Amino acid sequence: MKILIIDDERAIRNSMKEILSDEGYSVDTAENGAEGLKMVSAGRYDVVFCDIKMPGMDGVEVLEKIEASGADSAVVMISGHGDIDTAVECIKKGAFDFIQKPLDLNRLLASIRNATDKTKLMSHKIIKKKVYGPDRMVGESEAIRRIRGMVEKVAATPARVLITGGNGSGKELVARSLHELSDRSSRPYVEVNCAAIPSELIESELFGHEKGSFTSAIKQHKGKFEQADGGTLFLDEIGDMSLAAQAKVLRVLQEHKLSRVGSDVDIKVDVRVIAATNKDLGAEIEKGNFREDLYHRLSVIVIHVPGLDERKEDIPLLLDYFTEKICSETGLPRKTFAPEAVRMLQERSWTGNVRELRNVVERLLILGDDEISARNVRDYVV
């Protein structure tokens, strides 16, 4: 494996080269961004470590040029304490990972291993199978392509993700794709709908409880955090979580440990948390309904899923997808949509987003003609 280190500090370049060479890697160095770009264009590097703050061409510009060149290298940004916000922006621009100074050997090697795994996944097209698989994000609009790109870049990192968007827009598909493409994909994926659990039960559901800790606690119960240990916990509709539960979630995110209801014993957990909401959390913070410190912990990366009204060009593809899926699952005869029917569905407002469209397709498959017509849409779509 070939590695390139781009850093204006000679001591860092040399120490990284010595460490990684001892681990068996082939390592080159560059003292500035311009030199690094020339080396990337002249030879194939599996991983490029690039400092963010450099004189002349900074690391962000180097990253943008590497991405624009189409090089296959996984770019890992090296960031100082004050560069974290910039590092997060780099992830959005295509960086594979970022590592804080002072550099840690185990962290360096873990990033290289993850980058290698990602390259193998890409080469075997597993990403396409999972992101574009049976329960996939369907569409070719600019918004959907952008989300797919972010998912592919963010999934392999440990960064927490906050997914925003309206009901029925597909936030849960984004969350599952992030898990499936991560190095935790073989571990549990646990979903919790915070809006569906009564406030008096949410802490027990998330953190578990001991036998006898309350009236109906007839036996010990492991909460969702423990069930997701080693994997991913998806907290859907987190804007509906009680303030008391928010405080406990914050503690888990900060300290990676929890205590069950009715117990003072700390239990260590290793969980990647992905959260989603249909609420404006900024407004909820101002109202005192959501903790600002928890928001900042959850929103390292924010992915917004647009409503269907914002990507109506995807409706023909969604019609084909839902028709195939519903007919396969139910045994209904396959039908087609007349062009005028498709146009009418594109002109309609979809307040329930993709979920509503799916229900409409099923209704039309049951009640409509062999070729679903404009008349069928007028008769059966309210």
Side-chain angles (χ1 to χ4, degrees):
M1 174 185 286
K2 292 187 66 176
I3 296 174
L4 176 64
I5 300 164
I6 307 174
D7 199 304
D8 62 309
E9 296 185 51
R10 178 183 296 176
I12 291 179
R13 290 198 310 272
N14 292 342
S15 63
M16 286 183 67
K17 180 173 182 177
E18 181 179 353
I19 290 169
L20 297 178
S21 296
D22 288 344
E23 294 292 327
Y25 298 111
S26 173
V27 184
D28 293 330
T29 64
E31 64 181 8
N32 57 58
E35 181 184 355
L37 284 174
K38 288 181 182 178
M39 296 175 73
V40 169
S41 62
R44 190 195 184 292
Y45 291 96
D46 298 285
V47 182
V48 176
F49 288 98
C50 184
D51 191 23
I52 289 180
K53 288 193 175 179
M54 296 186 291
M57 186 185 300
D58 67 12
V60 178
E61 188 176 354
V62 173
L63 169 67
E64 290 174 339
K65 290 183 180 296
I66 290 176
E67 288 294 299
S69 73
D72 292 332
S73 306
V75 182
V76 179
M77 308 306 293
I78 302 172
S79 65
H81 179 71
D83 301 331
I84 298 302
D85 289 342
T86 305
V88 171
E89 285 300 313
C90 287
I91 293 289
K92 295 179 181 179
K93 291 177 182 289
F96 175 76
D97 197 1
F98 67 86
I99 299 176
Q100 283 185 257
K101 297 178 181 178
L103 300 175
D104 175 78
L105 172 59
N106 291 330
R107 183 72 179 84
L108 280 172
L109 297 178
S111 186
I112 293 171
R113 285 195 300 271
N114 289 337
T116 307
D117 290 342
K118 180 192 176 190
T119 302
K120 290 177 181 176
L121 289 173
M122 290 288 284
S123 65
H124 288 92
K125 299 186 178 180
I126 291 178
I127 280 181
K128 284 192 175 180
K129 183 186 292 184
K130 289 180 176 177
V131 176
Y132 309 102
D135 292 312
R136 64 192 188 272
M137 292 174 281
V138 176
E140 291 300 332
S141 62
E142 182 180 347
I144 290 300
R145 289 199 300 268
R146 177 183 57 79
I147 291 172
R148 287 193 192 118
M150 288 189 71
V151 166
E152 291 177 14
K153 292 169 185 174
V154 173
T157 76
R160 299 186 194 100
V161 181
L162 177 65
I163 307 167
T164 63
N167 287 330
S169 57
K171 300 187 292 297
E172 65 283 354
L173 292 181
V174 176
R176 183 167 285 278
S177 295
L178 286 166
H179 172 73
E180 291 293 338
L181 295 178
S182 75
D183 56 6
R184 297 173 179 262
S185 60
S186 62
R187 305 295 294 163
Y189 175 79
V190 179
E191 297 184 36
V192 180
N193 187 327
C194 301
I197 302 171
S199 58
E200 63 271 18
L201 297 179
I202 186 70
E203 292 184 46
S204 171
E205 188 70 16
L206 291 175
F207 311 111
H209 61 253
E210 296 294 340
K211 180 180 179 180
S213 56
F214 50 88
T215 303
S216 59
I218 58 175
K219 62 180 181 178
Q220 186 189 74
H221 168 67
K222 287 186 177 182
K224 298 299 186 184
F225 270 96
E226 284 187 80
Q227 294 172 31
D229 191 30
T232 302
L233 178 63
F234 175 43
L235 298 176
D236 197 8
E237 304 305 349
I238 196 168
D240 293 283
M241 182 181 288
S242 68
L243 287 169
Q246 289 176 37
K248 287 195 172 185
V249 169
L250 180 64
R251 183 199 176 212
V252 177
L253 298 183
Q254 291 173 329
E255 302 177 12
H256 305 289
K257 59 186 179 183
L258 58 84
S259 56
R260 296 178 187 144
V261 176
S263 172
D264 294 327
V265 177
D266 286 334
I267 300 170
K268 286 189 172 294
V269 289
D270 171 24
V271 177
R272 182 187 191 178
V273 173
I274 298 172
T277 183
N278 62 356
K279 292 187 174 181
D280 180 349
L281 291 188
E284 294 299 306
I285 290 169
E286 291 184 4
K287 296 175 186 175
N289 295 332
F290 201 84
R291 294 181 63 114
E292 185 173 8
D293 47 4
L294 177 58
Y295 172 79
H296 291 303
R297 286 279 179 178
L298 293 171
S299 61
V300 175
I301 303 290
V302 178
I303 297 179
H304 178 69
V305 183
L308 188 55
D309 284 348
E310 300 174 67
R311 56 181 189 103
K312 288 187 174 181
E313 62 268 42
D314 289 332
I315 286 178
L317 290 174
L318 286 163
L319 293 175
D320 290 342
Y321 170 72
F322 286 134
T323 297
E324 179 68 26
K325 185 176 178 64
I326 292 167
C327 291
S328 296
E329 291 175 351
T330 64
L332 286 169
R334 282 169 172 74
K335 298 180 179 181
T336 58
F337 284 79
E340 181 65 13
V342 174
R343 185 186 63 78
M344 289 180 66
L345 291 172
Q346 285 183 294
E347 291 176 351
R348 184 184 185 278
S349 178
W350 296 94
T351 56
N353 295 304
V354 179
R355 188 179 298 147
E356 182 186 6
L357 177 63
R358 187 201 186 285
N359 293 340
V360 164
V361 171
E362 185 168 8
R363 187 186 313 151
L364 289 170
L365 288 172
I366 294 170
L367 301 175
D369 301 325
D370 290 343
E371 182 183 61
I372 295 169
S373 64
R375 179 179 59 81
N376 293 152
V377 174
R378 282 193 294 270
D379 288 347
Y380 305 126
V381 182
V382 178

